[in-house]
């Protein structure tokens, strides 16, 4: 069996490293434990290396944080996709739960937390995605809409918001909401300007927006299915993040009409077609709310199910 594990690098002060090593040794999910006394220089201390099967990773990281070693030393974790080791196989059998279903909360928090930063890259990506979607709306071209969905970076802050709401992290909630609001407002404003520029250049017109657009008119005509799609996308998105199935995330991105809805708001506003702008705004709100609701519920169910599964297997052991 080729077992994926989490590789930990820990620097602990010499006086604290013994307790850390004992903690790791006592956990059946830890293997390949090595200690290099005095190897740490900045910060100074002992370097402790080990591998942890994913089903024990959250428990081990939590226990390490309780020792406070991260305050005076440091903890770093890397995914190891392939581990060919009988010791790792034995650790996976002895650890409660299944690695395929394990949720490493520190890993998820780190992965989503970094996507809440209101960076220049994030703003450029959401602006470009919205402008692409705006052109797709005018041309009634689904291929451009799909491309805009994939380019749009808004799922990162949405996922971070779901994790922060469940874990009650006010600071992350604030950063996520800020990234979403500022990002969408900036994207819609630049799309209004780009629409006016295309119109002035003779490349677009109000008639294009008012014409029959059977392939993309769903963007500004939300219905009950909009809620269903948003909820399903939220579930799939959270599962793709927590289970490391990143390939599934692409399918999630092209099923959510957040960026296209924002683009339609901007284009309709640029031409003064306010009923269509209002419908698109409602579509945007529906999708955001549905994704966040489904994401939080999915994470809560995963947390509850995992605790039950671990407890059950531990009792059988």
């Amino acid at each position: 069996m080729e077992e994926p594990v989490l590789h930990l690098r820990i620097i602990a002060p010499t006086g604290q490293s013994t307790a850390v090593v004992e903690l790791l040794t006592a956990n059946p999910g830890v293997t390949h434990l090595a200690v290099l006394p005095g190897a740490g220089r900045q910060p100074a201390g002992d370097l402790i290396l080990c591998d942890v099967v994913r089903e024990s990773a959250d428990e081990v990281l939590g226990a390490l944080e309780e020792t406070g070693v991260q305050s005076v030393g440091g903890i770093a974790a890397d995914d190891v996709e392939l581990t060919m080791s009988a010791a790792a196989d034995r650790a996976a059998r002895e650890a409660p739960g299944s690695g395929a279903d394990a949720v490493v909360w520190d890993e998820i928090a780190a992965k989503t937390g970094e996507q809440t930063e209101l960076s220049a890259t994030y703003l450029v990506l959401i602006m470009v995605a919205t402008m692409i979607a705006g052109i797709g709306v005018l041309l009634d071209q689904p291929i451009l809409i799909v491309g805009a969905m994939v380019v749009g970076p808004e799922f990162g802050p949405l996922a971070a918001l779901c994790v922060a709401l469940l874990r009650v992290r006010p600071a992350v909630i604030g950063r996520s909401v800020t990234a979403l609001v500022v990002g969408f407002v900036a994207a819609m404003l630049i799309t209004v300007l780009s629409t006016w520029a295309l119109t002035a250049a003779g490349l677009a017109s109000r008639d294009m927006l008012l014409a029959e657009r059977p392939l993309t008119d769903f963007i500004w005509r939300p219905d009950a299915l909009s809620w269903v799609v948003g909820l399903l996308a939220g579930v799939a998105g959270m599962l793709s993040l927590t289970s490391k199935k990143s390939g599934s995330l692409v399918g999630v991105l092209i099923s959510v009409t957040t960026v296209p809805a924002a683009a339609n708001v901007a284009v309709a506003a640029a031409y003064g077609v306010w009923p269509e702008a209002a419908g698109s705004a409602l579509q945007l709100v529906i999708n955001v709310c549905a994704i966040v609701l489904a994401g939080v519920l999915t994470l809560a169910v995963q947390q509850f199910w995992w605790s039950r599964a671990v407890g059950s297997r531990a009792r059988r052991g």
Side-chain angles (χ1 to χ4, degrees), residues 63-302:
L64 287 172
E65 289 176 14
E66 288 180 2
T67 67
V69 68
Q70 73 278 7
S71 301
V72 290
I75 305 171
D78 294 311
D79 273 310
V80 180
E81 298 295 338
L82 175 62
T83 303
M84 302 176 68
S85 165
D89 294 341
R90 184 167 53 253
R93 289 193 299 270
E94 294 178 359
S98 169
D101 298 323
V103 178
V104 184
W105 288 105
D106 285 321
E107 180 184 54
I108 300 302
K111 185 187 301 183
T112 57
E114 66 185 15
Q115 300 181 61
T116 64
E117 183 180 354
L118 192 59
S119 63
T121 300
Y122 170 81
L123 288 174
V124 170
L125 281 175
I126 197 168
M127 287 178 181
V128 169
T130 307
M131 285 189 287
I132 292 173
I135 296 173
V137 164
L138 290 171
L139 296 177
D140 195 33
Q141 284 293 332
I143 189 67
L144 294 178
I145 300 298
V146 171
M149 291 175 177
V150 175
V151 172
E154 78 284 359
F155 191 78
L158 284 171
L161 179 59
C162 295
V163 175
L165 286 171
L166 183 67
R167 308 290 283 181
V168 193
R169 305 286 170 82
V172 180
I173 292 173
R175 292 200 305 270
S176 301
V177 172
T178 300
L180 289 168
V181 172
V182 174
F184 276 121
V185 170
M188 287 189 283
L189 288 176
I190 197 68
T191 303
V192 168
L193 295 177
S194 68
T195 302
W196 286 342
L198 291 173
T199 304
L203 299 175
S205 67
R206 191 171 188 270
D207 292 337
M208 295 173 67
L209 183 70
L210 297 177
E212 288 293 325
R213 292 180 287 128
L215 300 179
T216 57
D217 65 353
F218 68 93
I219 295 172
W220 61 278
R221 290 176 174 170
D223 53 22
L225 288 178
S226 299
W227 270 103
V228 174
V229 172
L231 290 170
L232 294 176
V235 172
M238 286 301 104
L239 290 177
S240 69
L241 288 175
T242 57
S243 64
K244 301 181 68 60
K245 301 293 185 182
S246 57
S248 304
L249 192 55
V250 175
V252 175
L253 296 176
I254 62 176
S255 67
V256 180
T257 55
T258 46
V259 163
N264 212 122
V265 171
V267 173
Y271 288 131
V273 184
W274 301 113
E276 187 164 331
S280 302
L282 180 58
Q283 179 77 272
L284 176 60
V285 171
I286 287 174
N287 273 271
V288 169
C289 292
I291 291 171
V292 171
L293 175 61
V296 172
L297 290 177
T298 300
L299 291 172
V301 170
Q302 281 186 286

Side-chain angles (χ1 to χ4, degrees), residues 1-5 28-31 52-56 85-99 313:
M1 178 180 177
E2 299 169 352
E3 183 68 31
V5 298
V30 175
T31 187
V52 186
V53 293
R54 290 192 63 83
E55 46 266 57
S56 292
S85 165
D89 294 341
R90 184 167 53 253
R93 289 193 299 270
E94 294 178 359
S98 169
R313 181 167 172 175

